[in-house]
Amino acid sequence: MKQKKCFTYYKCRKCLEKSAMPVEDLEVFEVEPITDPQRRRSKWPQHLAACLATLSAVCAGAVDGWTAAGIPYLEQPRNISVNVTIEGISYDEGSWIGSLSPLGSLVGAIPAGYLANRIGRRAVLLIMGIPMVLGWIIIIFADHSIPMLYSARFILGFTCGVITVASPLYSEEIAEVSNRGALGVYLDLMFNVGIFYVYVVGAALPYFWMSVASTIIPVIFVLTFFWMPESPIYLLTKGRIEDARKSLCWLRGVHLPIAETENELKEMQSFIKGSQANASVPNNQSSAYIAICTFFKNITSATFKAIYIIFGLMIFRQLCGMNAVLAYTVEIFSVSGSSLNPYTCTVIVGAIQVIATYVPYCVVDRAGRRILLIVSGAGMGVCLLAMVVRFYLVNEGIEIAVMGWLPLVAVNLYIIACSVGFGPLPWFMMPELLNNDAKGWVSSLAVCLNWALAFVVTKFYPIMMHVLGPEFTYGSFFVICLLGTIFAIIFVPETVGKTREEIQLALSG
């Protein structure tokens, strides 16, 4: 009788050869699986892998949060000697320093999907550690040199663009259905940790040491994430089945394949084959024009529906003013007449943001994605409306004692509302809604759109504040939040508890 390979801790010939039982007494090669409490599946390895992968997002958060303390410092006059004082950077230069990061992210997102499909999600994330360290080193030695600051911010932004494409793909592909949402929230959670980290060091340390402290993060990321496995789905697309099996076993906390991991591996293979079948192009169509036409013709209804949902979420995520609020936190509290020190308020905002992002981590796989988006959009709208009222009273010269706390309360509630919905959810719903063949190019386009809008908002937010006034600026953000809430109610499907194939079937109707 031909013996099967033991994948499942079965009592087979190979297993029994290690015991005292004579092989000749064996009549049945496979029976029920052995139950061993120490061999049960564990979820902590996939949480560890997602956590270390999104340490790259801590680097990206530090890039975003650096402007809150960095730009005000650069704008201050410098004393070269006792009698010589040089003016700080101009208002326009400060806006470019703040906005060049999202512009670099836009450029970085363009090849990110292709690179993630070509060399792997893990490899792309590790490679990005090199330009991240380089960008921070340039900032350390740049001082007030505008060309060096521009170059550093663009390089750092480029890495952020690649990270925000590859990291969600990795986290989604290593996750089980039951905790796919929790692992997806890690990206925004770690991003907020990076912002909070820079807020704290910016308030406690001088400008130079704040930049040095930011350089440490990508080094830690590379040294820790290096030991994590590649995504099993990526490995299967490259035909590396044994490597995918080993990766999946490690991620599920077992030393050897068991029945559950083999079934999950088969589901992944089925999902990949279905995606490849939908994207197949006849070999005789060599013309570029025909190939392009065939490409768009082969976009399934499920992919098309996923695209407009993802793009809609990214549009409302950025146009609600989130990046502007984070990038100019110190200035917001200064202009709004807050009764607390602006830098202290900034640290409070960063801490609240990290804590708030933990809420969807706990409930997203229970409450669902759609309801969190609705609550998030409505909550942000109310907070922005309160800010409009506060700025109106300040401009009219009406001072109410209790209103001194309103900016801090409104901004923190805005951050909380953003962090439970429109902050983290679009990132992991992006790969969640797509089939395997469309993940790379759609994710790149969606992240490009996200960072393009982030550039526009970050660049023109200070101009709107000075030219149109804070009431009009925050009033515009309020209208966007209202439209985003309506979009979530009408168009966004619920994906909690559904497998990848079930999501594709639901999208295709």
Side-chain angles (χ1 to χ4, degrees):
M1 181 183 295
K2 188 176 179 181
Q3 183 181 349
K4 296 182 180 179
K5 189 175 181 181
C6 179
F7 282 133
T8 55
Y9 296 126
Y10 286 108
K11 291 180 179 178
C12 67
R13 182 179 297 271
K14 184 177 178 181
C15 298
L16 290 172
E17 283 175 349
K18 300 178 182 179
S19 66
M21 181 181 293
V23 178
E24 290 75 16
D25 295 340
L26 181 64
E27 295 182 357
V28 180
F29 288 110
E30 295 185 356
V31 293
E32 292 299 314
I34 300 174
T35 58
D36 186 346
Q38 295 182 351
R39 289 174 175 172
R40 291 174 183 170
R41 295 176 59 174
S42 173
K43 292 186 177 181
W44 76 262
Q46 54 190 300
H47 281 274
L48 176 63
C51 184
L52 294 181
T54 50
L55 274 179
S56 60
V58 177
C59 307
V63 173
D64 251 30
W66 177 88
T67 56
I71 290 179
Y73 167 81
L74 295 170
E75 290 175 341
Q76 295 175 0
R78 295 177 293 151
N79 294 324
I80 302 298
S81 62
V82 177
N83 298 321
V84 180
T85 301
I86 299 178
E87 292 185 0
I89 63 173
S90 67
Y91 176 79
D92 184 62
E93 289 170 340
S95 69
W96 275 109
I97 290 173
S99 58
L100 272 173
S101 172
L103 184 62
S105 299
L106 189 159
V107 176
I110 295 173
Y114 171 80
L115 292 174
N117 287 337
R118 184 75 176 177
I119 64 176
R121 288 78 161 111
R122 173 181 171 274
V124 167
L125 290 172
L126 288 173
I127 291 171
M128 284 302 105
I130 299 172
M132 182 69 75
V133 172
L134 175 63
W136 283 117
I137 290 175
I138 295 174
I139 284 183
I140 290 171
F141 292 101
D143 194 20
H144 283 64
S145 171
I146 296 302
M148 290 182 70
L149 288 170
Y150 283 175
S151 301
R153 290 289 295 172
F154 185 85
I155 292 171
L156 291 170
F158 181 91
T159 62
C160 293
V162 177
I163 286 167
T164 47
V165 172
S167 183
L169 291 176
Y170 182 83
S171 296
E172 193 273 338
E173 290 178 354
I174 68 172
E176 295 180 75
V177 174
S178 60
N179 63 340
R180 191 171 57 220
L183 265 64
V185 171
Y186 274 125
L187 177 72
D188 203 58
L189 177 61
M190 291 299 200
F191 189 86
N192 294 338
V193 168
I195 293 173
F196 177 61
Y197 173 78
V198 173
Y199 282 175
V200 171
V201 297
L205 300 176
Y207 168 83
F208 175 82
W209 290 109
M210 176 184 70
S211 301
V212 171
S214 301
T215 311
I216 299 172
I217 307 173
V219 176
I220 296 174
F221 160 67
V222 172
L223 293 177
T224 55
F225 185 60
F226 177 81
W227 306 102
M228 295 298 104
E230 180 57 89
S231 152
I233 287 185
Y234 168 77
L235 294 171
L236 287 174
T237 60
K238 298 302 179 181
R240 297 163 57 183
I241 298 175
E242 285 302 317
D243 290 337
R245 180 175 283 114
K246 292 177 183 178
S247 172
L248 188 63
C249 287
W250 189 92
L251 291 166
R252 299 302 179 256
V254 294
H255 297 292
L256 293 171
I258 59 174
E260 288 85 351
T261 58
E262 287 300 296
N263 290 335
E264 190 172 359
L265 199 67
K266 290 178 182 178
E267 290 177 0
M268 290 179 178
Q269 289 176 310
S270 175
F271 172 70
I272 292 169
K273 288 179 181 178
S275 301
Q276 292 172 343
N278 291 329
S280 61
V281 181
N283 294 328
N284 59 352
Q285 295 182 352
S286 57
S287 167
Y289 173 77
I290 295 176
I292 292 172
C293 293
T294 306
F295 170 77
F296 285 104
K297 184 179 178 180
N298 285 334
I299 297 177
T300 63
S301 60
T303 301
F304 181 77
K305 189 173 182 180
I307 289 173
Y308 79 71
I309 292 171
I310 293 166
F311 281 25
L313 291 175
M314 289 298 184
I315 290 171
F316 291 116
R317 182 181 187 275
Q318 285 299 339
L319 294 186
C320 69
M322 175 182 59
N323 267 25
V325 172
L326 294 176
Y328 294 94
T329 312
V330 172
E331 184 176 340
I332 290 171
F333 288 120
S334 300
V335 173
S336 62
S338 173
S339 57
L340 291 178
N341 180 279
Y343 287 92
T344 303
C345 292
T346 301
V347 173
I348 295 173
V349 167
I352 294 294
Q353 188 177 25
V354 173
I355 296 170
T357 312
Y358 188 71
V359 174
Y361 171 81
C362 298
V363 304
V364 69
D365 286 316
R366 297 181 179 88
R369 285 67 156 147
R370 189 165 171 269
I371 186 63
L372 290 179
L373 287 169
I374 295 169
V375 171
S376 176
M380 287 191 294
V382 171
C383 296
L384 290 168
L385 192 59
M387 290 294 288
V388 171
V389 172
R390 172 58 182 171
F391 281 115
Y392 174 79
L393 294 176
V394 170
N395 290 338
E396 293 296 321
I398 303 172
E399 187 59 43
I400 302 174
V402 73
M403 283 291 186
W405 287 86
L406 182 59
L408 179 61
V409 173
V411 170
N412 277 319
L413 290 177
Y414 172 88
I415 294 297
I416 291 172
C418 179
S419 299
V420 301
F422 275 94
L425 268 59
W427 289 120
F428 76 82
M429 289 189 72
M430 177 174 63
E432 187 179 52
L433 292 172
L434 295 167
N435 64 45
N436 191 66
D437 185 69
K439 278 182 182 179
W441 65 270
V442 175
S443 295
S444 289
L445 290 177
V447 174
C448 280
L449 175 63
N450 174 81
W451 289 115
L453 294 174
F455 167 74
V456 172
V457 172
T458 308
K459 174 62 180 173
F460 291 101
Y461 166 80
I463 298 174
M464 291 177 65
M465 287 286 285
H466 284 78
V467 175
L468 302 175
E471 299 100 318
F472 179 86
T473 302
Y474 288 100
S476 301
F477 292 154
F478 164 74
V479 174
I480 297 297
C481 288
L482 183 62
L483 294 175
T485 305
I486 297 172
F487 177 84
I489 293 172
I490 297 175
F491 296 108
V492 177
E494 186 53 73
T495 59
V496 66
K498 295 181 180 179
T499 65
R500 296 178 179 90
E501 289 185 298
E502 287 172 344
I503 291 172
Q504 293 304 306
L505 288 173
L507 289 173
S508 62

